[in-house]
Amino acid sequence: MSQKVAVLGTGKIGEALLSGMIRAGWVPADLLVTARRPERAEELHARHGVTPVTNTEAAKTADTLILTVKPQDMGTLLAELAPHVPADRLVISGAAGIPTSLIEEHLTEGTPVVRVMTNTPALVDEAMSVISGGSHATAAHLATAEEIFGAVGKTLRVPENQQDACTALSGSGPAYFFYLVEAMTDAGILLGLPRDKAHELIVQSAIGAATMLRDSGEHPVKLRENVTSPAGTTINAIRELENHGVRAALIAALEAARDRSRELASGKKD
């Protein structure tokens, strides 16, 4: 933890990562931040004690650079960084859809690049961060990425050709659950419950179900069958979900998210 780490383009996820690193034992003085607006950088300094710098200063002084800008802004950032990033810097990209090969093309030959797709539960230290190494990344570089992102949740190494699928499943995944909770809350209101009670019932049910999935070791089919009594309420609900093609819709939705991740890699913006 003695190395200097710079988070470039520090938004909500970048700030969550900084906060988690500090709680995990990183020294704020060793953490550098850049932001598009100077007042945002000063806000991060006041809140966390980290050091605001320019992108160029970060490239020259940090041992590890974490690029947290949006995919459409990556080209501009790389053009700014390229003249100042030595080949011994570790560059970690958190931009959806951007392959390590594209980043490597902009930097000095041999620069190690690691691609990470995390998600918004980083804000509560429950992120799922998926890590892939570029052509020059070693096991030590991957371990550094795991140490950093492990401060805000769980990490998983995958081959880079699986990153678009992981983006669809876990990168965008929290939004699907929020969408489902929203729909179930509306259903609770339709059934006669006040919104706050419907919300509390669904959120706690979701937490309990997720904990069972994580801790029981049981297949989700088995867990669902345990709730589904013959001719009971649950099987009637499941029948309606199947009749309305919910399973097929979910599969199609994730395929669409994966395809959009691929489009981002090709530079398509809309």
Side-chain angles (χ1 to χ4, degrees):
M1 295 185 186
S2 60
Q3 63 172 298
K4 286 191 177 294
V5 176
V7 179
L8 283 66
T10 312
K12 288 184 179 180
I13 294 294
E15 183 175 5
L17 186 59
L18 287 170
S19 180
M21 291 172 69
I22 292 168
R23 288 192 299 276
W26 295 77
V27 178
D30 289 335
L31 300 177
L32 313 178
V33 295
T34 78
R36 181 172 295 179
R37 295 179 292 106
E39 57 269 27
R40 168 62 174 166
E42 288 303 321
E43 178 184 279
L44 292 167
H45 170 69
R47 188 176 296 159
H48 304 289
V50 296
T51 304
V53 294
T54 66
N55 290 331
T56 298
E57 289 171 334
K60 291 179 178 179
T61 59
D63 300 291
T64 298
L65 305 174
I66 306 176
L67 315 184
T68 62
V69 297
K70 295 178 180 178
Q72 57 267 34
D73 297 327
M74 183 62 78
T76 301
L77 177 61
L78 289 173
E80 182 181 358
L81 294 177
H84 310 289
V85 179
D88 62 350
R89 294 287 188 268
L90 170 59
V91 177
I92 300 175
S93 168
I98 304 297
T100 57
S101 58
L102 185 148
I103 297 172
E104 289 169 350
E105 288 173 4
H106 285 76
L107 302 176
T108 303
E109 175 64 27
T111 301
V113 178
V114 173
R115 178 176 171 182
V116 180
M117 172 48 59
T118 192
N119 57 18
T120 56
L123 296 166
V124 292
D125 291 348
E126 291 290 349
M128 182 69 253
S129 301
V130 184
I131 297 173
S132 304
S135 58
H136 306 296
T138 66
H141 295 129
L142 292 170
T144 297
E146 287 176 331
E147 181 182 15
I148 292 171
F149 283 85
V152 291
K154 187 174 181 179
T155 64
L156 178 69
R157 293 190 196 184
V158 300
E160 190 171 7
N161 62 12
Q162 294 178 1
Q163 274 280 356
D164 291 322
C166 292
T167 297
L169 282 170
S170 65
S172 300
Y176 314 146
F177 290 100
F178 299 147
Y179 181 85
L180 181 60
V181 168
E182 178 188 1
M184 292 177 69
T185 300
D186 287 343
I189 295 168
L190 179 66
L191 296 174
L193 292 170
R195 177 175 293 276
D196 60 338
K197 287 186 171 58
H199 179 78
E200 184 175 357
L201 287 166
I202 294 161
V203 170
Q204 184 55 40
S205 295
I207 292 171
T211 302
M212 290 178 71
L213 279 167
R214 184 190 63 193
D215 296 345
S216 70
E218 296 280 4
H219 193 282
V221 170
K222 176 63 175 175
L223 294 173
R224 178 176 60 79
E225 287 176 345
N226 290 342
V227 188
T228 309
S229 303
T233 59
T234 306
I235 192 60
N236 273 273
I238 296 295
R239 180 186 63 185
E240 288 303 312
L241 292 172
E242 294 292 349
N243 286 343
H244 286 81
V246 172
R247 186 188 302 266
L250 281 171
I251 293 172
L254 267 67
E255 286 180 327
R258 178 209 57 197
D259 293 345
R260 180 55 180 157
S261 181
R262 291 174 175 173
E263 289 173 355
L264 290 171
S266 69
K268 185 174 181 180
K269 296 183 179 181
D270 50 32

